[in-house]
Amino acid sequence: MTSLLKRTAAALALSAALLSAPSMSMAQDGGGSIVVTYKDDIATLDPAIGYDWQNFSMIKAIFDGLMDYEPGTATLRPGLAESYEISPDGKVFTFRLRDGVKFHNGRAMTADDVKYSFERTVNPATQSPGAGFLGSIEGFDAMQAGTASELSGVKILDPKTVEVTLSRPDATFLSVMALNFSFIVPKEEVEKSGADFGRNPVGTGAFKLSEWTLGQRLVLTKNADYYREGAPKLDEITFEIGQEPVVSLLRVQNGEVDVPGDGIPPAKFREVMDDPAQKARVVEGVQLHTGYITMNTKAAPFDDLKVRQAVNMAINKDRIVQIINGRATPANQPLPPTMPGYVEAYEGYKYDVEGAKKLLAEAGHPDGFETELFVANVDPQPRIAQAIQQDLAAIGIKASIQSLAAANVIAAGGSAEGAPMIWSGGMAWIADFPDPSNFYGPILGCAGAAEGGWNWAKYCNEALDAKAAEADAIVDPAKAAERAAAWGQVYEGVMADAPWAPVFNEKRYTMRSERMGGEDALYIDPVNTPMNYKYVETK
């Protein structure tokens, strides 16, 4: 182990401590099956494509990456790689793969699969919203530009060893190796299913897809050949689709459902929390989340900075927090308060209706204008959108609400033309991994503004992209404070451009049936929502 590797490991442990739960002793395999409900259908289970809170953890149950997390924590550990080494300059990562890992089709996983999977995600034809996460790998730009068909920085040393060379030091690279977009897939299955691979996923994960009736149910069954001893705990997970959250809650109370995937309906939150018996089944925790309003910076009228600043000043965030029964705190910047890089002294845009009207008038809209506000159609999101609509109306902006299934809102935001305004609630943004860079690249960086991306504001500030890259090049743990300060400057720059109106940072509440077992930390797992499917169990 090089000294840099030791320092990197120490840094990972330090950042993980911000969110990590106490060390847990995993119980023996208890078997059993559970039922989880959702209102909307699953868009896809393709790890290169799926990027919403609903399918993200399902994908983690079906696929694996070279790196993984200790259950219920943000502490990194080797995954499909049994070990790794990092060069002294921090640019070359050598991964040694585990023996005996098989895909669900029975074929052994090799280094060829690692190279193929990375290149598939980066290939523009895949239209992966997470391609940018692999942007530090040498050859990324050439593949994105279509001038190369492979990543020059990914080399197969032998069937069990992969060497990845970066074009620049990247403090987040090991975290990216635990992210869905770097998960390993079998080429033959992707080619067999084509565009339908997301409906016929085959991975190395703890569960296999055994049934998917669109709009009704999806069933995952235990992978008996899973490489980690003692996982998964469950034999089967059934996801029932089309369940209104209020109905799901009632079914949990009646013992018919184990976890309401969409959470506790806001209208029922106080009823649940005021009942000691029900409250005892709720796990509370911190969530690295920011809810925000995006504005399409590439189209009028939101291509005007003054208009975007006016929207920021028009939103009554305290009132919106009341709508969700105080389950959040008002936000004034993209990062949540517990994330390194959060700027305590930053005050943001104050709620000022008259000031907002003045800015609109200066922008040439003294009488306001008409626009559209897209929102996911699961409560409380439409009610929050209505509050935003009222706030905008107070300064003359007439916003027509487009309430759609989350997948359709995501598609609208990621389309080439984009959507005028989107309320992110129920879709974004919960951290993929606990690092300030994760709130920039996919949702504010230039790469994320491409078609299929999650930068719904279509915002691209190349100077800030360069500063972000400089921040991520600070890999020495001794300079963690310097790196956090650099990220803070990036986010202050973002807010000066005002592509978003940050609204609140939400807290996390997961309800479970009486028969659900496992440590509480598994139900507020920082990288799995609503829970860590691999390690929860029945009593």
Side-chain angles (χ1 to χ4, degrees), residues 328-344:
T329 54
N332 64 10
Q333 57 191 286
L335 287 181
T338 54
M339 182 74 83
Y342 180 84
V343 183
E344 293 281 354

Side-chain angles (χ1 to χ4, degrees), residues 119 121-126 131 139-152:
E119 291 173 348
T121 294
V122 172
N123 190 331
T126 305
F140 173 86
D141 291 338
M143 273 203 76
Q144 285 278 289
T147 59
S149 59
E150 63 178 351
L151 287 169
S152 59

Side-chain angles (χ1 to χ4, degrees), residues 164-454:
V164 182
T165 301
L166 308 184
S167 59
R168 63 181 187 273
D170 182 358
T172 72
F173 188 69
L174 286 178
S175 295
V176 169
M177 292 296 96
L179 193 58
N180 294 20
F181 301 111
S182 67
F183 283 2
I184 311 306
V185 300
K187 180 178 181 180
E188 70 275 16
E189 296 292 343
V190 174
E191 292 182 342
K192 181 172 73 175
S193 296
D196 289 330
F197 181 68
R199 300 288 184 187
N200 302 281
V202 177
T204 60
F207 290 93
K208 306 176 183 181
L209 176 66
S210 61
E211 178 189 342
W212 191 348
T213 304
L214 295 181
Q216 297 182 38
R217 57 190 261 129
L218 184 152
V219 181
L220 302 183
T221 56
K222 179 177 182 175
N223 175 12
D225 295 324
Y226 192 52
Y227 74 92
R228 284 205 188 276
E229 185 177 353
K233 301 294 183 184
L234 296 168
D235 292 326
E236 185 176 87
I237 306 174
T238 297
F239 297 93
E240 295 188 359
I241 309 302
Q243 301 279 318
E244 290 291 340
V246 172
V247 176
S248 293
L249 175 62
L250 180 62
R251 294 185 67 202
V252 171
Q253 294 167 338
N254 292 340
E256 301 168 9
V257 166
D258 295 294
V259 174
D262 292 311
I264 304 169
K268 295 288 186 179
F269 182 73
R270 285 268 49 97
E271 175 186 316
V272 169
M273 299 305 285
D274 290 342
D275 179 346
Q278 293 191 72
K279 182 179 180 181
R281 300 204 300 273
V282 177
V283 183
E284 303 178 33
V286 173
Q287 182 158 260
L288 289 178
H289 164 276
T290 301
Y292 50 90
I293 304 163
T294 64
M295 293 165 274
N296 190 337
T297 61
K298 298 303 181 185
F302 296 113
D303 56 349
D304 189 317
L305 173 61
K306 288 185 177 181
V307 172
R308 302 195 300 271
Q309 290 175 326
V311 170
N312 269 274
M313 296 166 65
I315 306 303
N316 186 340
K317 300 172 185 179
D318 290 327
R319 182 168 71 103
I320 292 174
V321 167
Q322 290 175 4
I323 291 173
I324 58 171
N325 298 295
R327 294 192 295 176
T329 54
N332 64 10
Q333 57 191 286
L335 287 181
T338 54
M339 182 74 83
Y342 180 84
V343 183
E344 293 281 354
Y346 180 74
E347 295 185 353
Y349 296 91
K350 299 294 186 182
Y351 176 52
D352 182 353
V353 173
E354 294 306 315
K357 288 180 179 179
K358 181 180 178 182
L359 280 174
L360 273 189
E362 292 175 1
H365 303 284
D367 299 319
F369 54 84
E370 294 183 0
T371 188
E372 291 181 324
L373 173 62
F374 285 69
V375 59
N377 61 2
V378 177
D379 188 62
Q381 311 312 334
R383 291 192 290 121
I384 292 174
Q386 288 170 0
I388 294 170
Q389 181 186 50
Q390 292 166 7
D391 288 342
L392 295 175
I395 65 170
I397 298 176
K398 304 170 187 66
S400 170
I401 294 176
Q402 306 298 312
S403 182
L404 307 170
N408 293 335
V409 178
I410 293 167
S415 66
E417 65 278 8
M421 303 182 80
I422 297 177
W423 162 242
S424 74
M427 299 170 292
W429 189 252
I430 299 173
D432 302 306
F433 54 90
D435 189 273
S437 66
N438 186 230
F439 275 74
Y440 183 81
I443 50 178
L444 287 164
C446 294
E451 186 172 359
W454 277 67

